[in-house]
Amino acid sequence: MDERQLKRVEGIILSMTPHERRVPHVIDGSRRQRIAAGSGTTVEQVNQLLESRKQMARMMQAMGSGKMPSLPGMGPGAPTMGGGPRPSATRKASSKRKKKKARK
């Protein structure tokens, strides 16, 4: 992002109310028009910002649940930060149960 894009994003965000910043799904068509007029941008630019925010939220949620979402520019052969897939905790528990049953 260059300086102009950052200024545009800042203007859009500052044109939102605090409630709209916290809960962006309340932003309907008329609010988008008000935000665009207040920030000196178009409704399409406001839509793009809201869509990218939604995409970022999805990615953060996926990372929080232990999944590594596919990032743009990261192909299947790209190195991963975790070093590989994590072992499943349920597999360990089920194998322990089987061992306990076999002992009896």
Side-chain angles (χ1 to χ4, degrees):
M1 293 181 80
D2 65 350
E3 184 97 13
R4 287 180 297 184
Q5 286 177 320
L6 287 175
K7 289 284 187 186
R8 185 179 305 131
V9 169
E10 182 182 16
I12 292 170
I13 293 171
L14 291 175
S15 295
M16 295 179 188
T17 64
H19 179 69
E20 290 169 341
R21 291 179 203 156
R22 278 191 303 271
V23 190
H25 67 268
V26 300
I27 302 174
D28 58 3
S30 62
R31 289 180 185 236
R32 289 172 197 243
Q33 288 178 341
R34 179 187 49 79
I35 293 167
S39 62
T41 60
T42 64
V43 176
E44 289 79 21
Q45 290 170 328
V46 174
N47 289 339
Q48 286 174 351
L49 179 66
L50 293 173
E51 184 59 35
S52 63
R53 184 244 173 241
K54 192 185 307 183
Q55 197 173 21
M56 182 64 72
R58 272 187 253 137
M59 186 174 74
M60 292 306 227
Q61 187 176 15
M63 289 177 74
S65 66
K67 298 177 183 172
M68 186 64 181
S70 60
L71 298 173
M74 301 274 295
T80 58
M81 291 170 48
R86 293 181 7 192
S88 173
T90 55
R91 266 191 239 143
K92 289 179 183 176
S94 65
S95 65
K96 287 179 183 177
R97 283 189 210 123
K98 289 178 184 177
K99 289 178 184 176
K100 286 181 181 180
K101 288 180 183 178
R103 289 183 190 170
K104 289 182 180 179

